[in-house]
């Protein structure tokens, strides 16, 4: 691996006695010990963190994604020994770090909070959870004065899930801002998936090793013809493609487990919308496995559920391959980290999509879940409105100082308010809302 991908923006790194860790092991430690990672324990994954002690949070989801990511890497090392030395570090720390950090930028209340912040930032560069992740790890966390966790360049490249600025992806639509927050329709204000122009210096540094041709190709945009859909990025790095697969498997399979155990979904819907579709796929093992899958997943004997879930995860992980993107007609990457991606074969990708579709339709879109998202959406918009009315007065000293510095330097001060709210847990945002708007709020509530 080229040393250029191991570099950090802050060259001077503390040398500690007898520290034999490689760069990615250091990166993983910084993520694990960060405040933003700890806060994932009280951020919504699917069900809200206050709804019980069984549900997965963004923290447990990230831990599961990291475990799946290391499993994928182990499989690919065995399948492709000729590529292994060039593409993969000796340890799994790189992929684990990327998977552990991938949700750090997501705000409180899931996609409801993301929509709310994007709406409030619509004239100030927008908001998007993946873009916020890069901003936190490369600028906001406190491991260094100006460079966040000061992670290695390859780790940051792996966290660039959508490597283009939001403005280039935004589909021009004639949307009128609402006169009342309660009237905001979430589907009208979903953000494009991309990065912030406020972080161009970070983006340029991460992509600086690329040739001009590679960078132009890597940042190509796929235009969407439907006026209601934002444009999309085309490419991601090898490490990011592994993280995305791990994330999707954790979402599609493990989050389904929550819904089954808590009786949010039933056997009838599962048979009709999952089993029936699985049995149409040309895969002998899957056809046979799906015959007993419903009984195992909905069994009161939890070891049968775990066995069924484990079998599905293993089936997906072991099917993953490395694809050479240069075999496409219009692609010619010279950088190996861009040339190769991890992917599922088409028929098995359909299997994962079936599970993801089921979770989306029968869990995420369930009325009770949507009401929680809507409530969180209102809380975030009202917090943003209140804090932006008088930031020096209402924000904690550190954030108020950053806001003042941004104003003084003609920078985007609204981004500082978005940073503060995005870093909140569900519980903290709720308590701050109550402290501002409820006469009976707890007077001992402390700002951080």
């Amino acid at each position: 691996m080229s040393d250029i991908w191991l570099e950090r923006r802050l060259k001077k790194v503390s040398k500690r006695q007898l520290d034999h860790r490689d760069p990615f092991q250091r990166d993983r430690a910084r993520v694990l010990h960060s405040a933003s990672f700890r806060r994932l324990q009280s951020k919504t994954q699917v069900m809200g963190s206050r709804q019980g002690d069984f549900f997965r949070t963004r923290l447990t989801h990230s831990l599961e994604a990291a475990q799946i990511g290391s499993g994928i890497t182990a499989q690919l090392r065995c399948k492709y020994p000729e590529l292994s030395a060039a593409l993969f570090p000796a340890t799994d720390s790189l992929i684990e770090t990327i998977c552990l950090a991938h949700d750090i930028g997501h705000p409180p209340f899931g996609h409801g909070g993301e929509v709310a912040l994007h709406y409030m930032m619509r004239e100030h560069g927008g908001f998007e959870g993946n873009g916020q992740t890069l901003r936190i790890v490369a600028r906001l966390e406190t491991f260094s004065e100006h460079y966040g966790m000061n992670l290695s360049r390859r780790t940051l490249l792996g966290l660039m899930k959508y490597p283009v600025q939001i403005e280039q992806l935004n589909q021009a639509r004639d949307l009128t801002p609402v006169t009342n927050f309660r009237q905001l329709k979430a589907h009208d204000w979903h953000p494009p998936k991309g990065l912030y122009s406020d972080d161009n210096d970070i983006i340029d540094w991460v992509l600086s090793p690329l040739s001009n041709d590679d960078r132009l190709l890597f940042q190509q945009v796929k235009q969407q013809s439907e006026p209601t859909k934002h444009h999309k990025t085309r490419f991601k790095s090898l490490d990011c493609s592994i993280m995305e697969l791990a994330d999707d498997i954790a979402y599609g399979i493990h989050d389904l487990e929550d819904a089954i155990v808590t009786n949010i979904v039933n056997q009838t819907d599962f048979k009709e919308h999952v089993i029936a579709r699985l049995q149409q796929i040309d895969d002998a093992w899957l056809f046979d496995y799906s015959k007993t899958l419903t009984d195992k997943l909905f069994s009161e004997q939890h070891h049968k559920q775990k066995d069924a879930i484990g079998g599905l995860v293993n089936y997906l992980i072991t099917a993953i391959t490395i694809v050479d993107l240069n075999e496409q007609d219009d692609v010619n990457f010279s950088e190996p980290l861009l040339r190769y991606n991890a992917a599922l074969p088409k028929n098995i990708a359909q299997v994962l999509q079936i599970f993801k579709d089921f979770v989306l339709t029968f869990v995420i879109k369930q009325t009770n879940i949507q009401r929680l998202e809507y409530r969180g959406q209102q809380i975030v918009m009202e917090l943003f409105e209140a804090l932006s009315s008088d930031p020096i007065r209402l924000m904690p000293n550190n954030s108020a100082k950053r806001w003042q510095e941004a104003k003084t330097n003609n920078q985007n001060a609204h981004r500082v308010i978005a940073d503060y709210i995005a870093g909140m847990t569900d519980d903290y945002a709720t308590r701050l809302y109550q402290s501002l708007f409820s006469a009976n709020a707890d007077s001992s509530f402390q700002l951080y």
Side-chain angles (χ1 to χ4, degrees):
M1 187 193 313
S2 170
D3 287 346
I4 200 166
W5 292 110
L6 304 180
E7 290 180 353
R8 304 176 190 274
R9 289 187 78 190
L10 179 61
K11 306 293 185 184
K12 186 178 180 181
V13 178
S14 298
K15 299 291 185 182
R16 295 187 172 89
Q17 187 176 15
L18 302 178
D19 186 350
H20 302 297
R21 295 175 298 171
D22 67 34
F24 304 125
Q25 289 173 318
R26 291 188 177 197
D27 286 354
R28 181 179 60 184
R30 294 180 185 195
V31 171
L32 284 170
H33 291 287
S34 67
S36 50
F37 182 73
R38 291 196 302 274
R39 289 183 188 127
L40 295 177
Q41 67 187 300
S42 189
K43 286 193 177 187
T44 298
Q45 171 62 13
V46 175
M47 277 68 84
S49 60
R50 285 185 165 188
Q51 288 179 270
D53 61 1
F54 173 83
F55 303 116
R56 286 171 167 87
T57 64
R58 285 202 182 271
L59 179 67
T60 57
H61 164 79
S62 298
L63 292 169
E64 287 173 336
Q67 185 274 324
I68 293 169
S70 65
I72 293 171
T73 306
Q75 286 291 325
L76 295 178
R77 282 198 192 100
C78 290
K79 283 185 178 180
Y80 302 94
E82 72 283 3
L83 293 174
S84 180
L87 297 180
F88 299 113
T91 68
D92 293 335
S93 299
L94 169 65
I95 294 301
E96 289 177 356
T97 302
I98 294 169
C99 290
L100 288 170
H102 82 281
D103 268 354
I104 274 178
H106 284 273
F109 309 114
H111 292 295
E114 184 178 49
V115 166
L117 279 176
H118 180 60
Y119 176 76
M120 301 306 289
M121 290 289 291
R122 64 193 181 279
E123 296 178 359
H124 308 286
F127 179 90
E128 199 273 329
N130 297 283
Q132 189 69 17
T133 292
L134 182 68
R135 182 171 175 81
I136 288 172
V137 300
R139 193 185 301 283
L140 300 179
E141 266 289 352
T142 57
F143 284 81
S144 66
E145 187 175 3
H146 301 295
Y147 304 115
M149 297 182 196
N150 195 32
L151 303 179
S152 61
R153 182 184 266 115
R154 181 166 174 178
T155 298
L156 293 178
L157 179 68
L159 286 168
M160 277 189 178
K161 196 170 179 181
Y162 310 104
V164 174
Q165 290 86 341
I166 283 177
E167 288 84 352
Q168 299 178 48
L169 300 166
N170 195 48
Q171 180 80 284
R173 293 181 291 171
D174 187 19
L175 289 175
T176 304
V178 296
T179 55
N180 186 311
F181 289 157
R182 294 184 181 182
Q183 302 301 314
L184 187 79
K185 291 181 172 59
H187 64 77
D188 288 340
W189 293 97
H190 279 292
K193 293 184 179 297
L195 306 173
Y196 304 147
S197 294
D198 293 323
D199 296 326
N200 280 343
D201 57 324
I202 300 171
I203 299 167
D204 288 341
W205 182 82
V206 174
L207 301 184
S208 60
L210 302 180
S211 67
N212 187 56
D213 288 344
D214 269 8
R215 176 163 180 172
L216 287 173
L217 182 57
F218 185 54
Q219 294 188 297
Q220 272 191 7
V221 173
K222 187 190 305 180
Q223 301 290 323
Q224 300 294 306
S225 57
E226 294 184 45
T228 59
K229 292 186 177 182
H230 294 300
H231 306 309
K232 297 181 179 181
T233 56
R234 282 190 66 190
F235 300 107
K236 52 182 59 68
S237 70
L238 169 67
D239 303 321
C240 187
S241 70
I242 295 173
M243 176 269 283
E244 187 172 46
L245 285 167
D247 185 25
D248 284 351
I249 292 170
Y251 165 77
I253 306 301
H254 285 300
D255 288 356
L256 172 65
E257 183 183 3
D258 283 3
I260 291 172
V261 172
T262 53
N263 298 314
I264 289 177
V265 298
N266 59 61
Q267 293 191 48
T268 301
D269 288 335
F270 186 78
K271 287 179 180 178
E272 179 181 350
H273 295 276
V274 176
I275 300 301
R277 292 179 65 188
L278 292 179
Q279 292 185 338
Q280 293 174 7
I281 293 174
D282 185 17
D283 186 314
W285 181 91
L286 182 67
F287 186 85
D288 185 63
Y289 195 76
S290 64
K291 290 178 182 177
T292 60
L293 184 58
T294 303
D295 289 340
K296 288 182 177 179
L297 286 178
F298 289 86
S299 172
E300 293 184 0
Q301 296 177 287
H302 295 309
H303 68 277
K304 290 185 177 181
Q305 293 176 340
K306 290 296 183 184
D307 182 61
I309 292 291
L312 288 171
V313 171
N314 182 73
Y315 168 74
L316 294 168
I317 288 176
T318 55
I320 293 171
T321 63
I322 290 179
V323 295
D324 185 347
L325 299 182
N326 284 2
E327 293 178 355
Q328 300 178 28
D329 291 339
D330 62 339
V331 179
N332 186 27
F333 283 119
S334 59
E335 170 54 57
L337 294 180
L338 306 185
R339 174 179 176 177
Y340 297 102
N341 269 197
L344 281 167
K346 186 176 180 179
N347 64 324
I348 301 181
Q350 290 175 340
V351 173
L352 181 55
Q353 191 62 49
I354 289 169
F355 284 99
K356 289 172 61 180
D357 290 345
F358 184 75
V359 171
L360 176 64
T361 302
F362 290 92
V363 183
I364 304 295
K365 290 187 176 180
Q366 189 189 67
T367 301
N368 288 343
I369 301 296
Q370 288 302 305
R371 285 177 176 173
L372 288 172
E373 274 200 11
Y374 176 83
R375 183 178 69 184
Q377 180 179 306
Q378 302 305 307
I379 290 173
V380 168
M381 287 190 289
E382 293 204 35
L383 284 178
F384 194 104
E385 183 181 53
L387 295 172
S388 61
S389 71
D390 198 344
I392 299 297
R393 179 186 181 194
L394 297 177
M395 290 206 297
N397 291 338
N398 183 53
S399 295
K401 181 181 178 182
R402 288 185 56 234
W403 183 88
Q404 187 62 62
E405 289 174 350
K407 291 290 286 185
T408 301
N409 296 321
N410 293 317
Q411 296 172 342
N412 186 1
H414 289 83
R415 181 66 64 195
V416 177
I417 301 172
D419 289 340
Y420 177 50
I421 296 175
M424 296 177 184
T425 64
D426 296 14
D427 289 343
Y428 182 91
T430 300
R431 287 186 290 138
L432 178 57
Y433 177 88
Q434 291 169 344
S435 75
L436 290 171
F437 302 115
S438 172
N440 300 316
D442 181 3
S443 60
S444 66
F445 176 67
Q446 297 292 317
L447 290 175
Y448 60 72

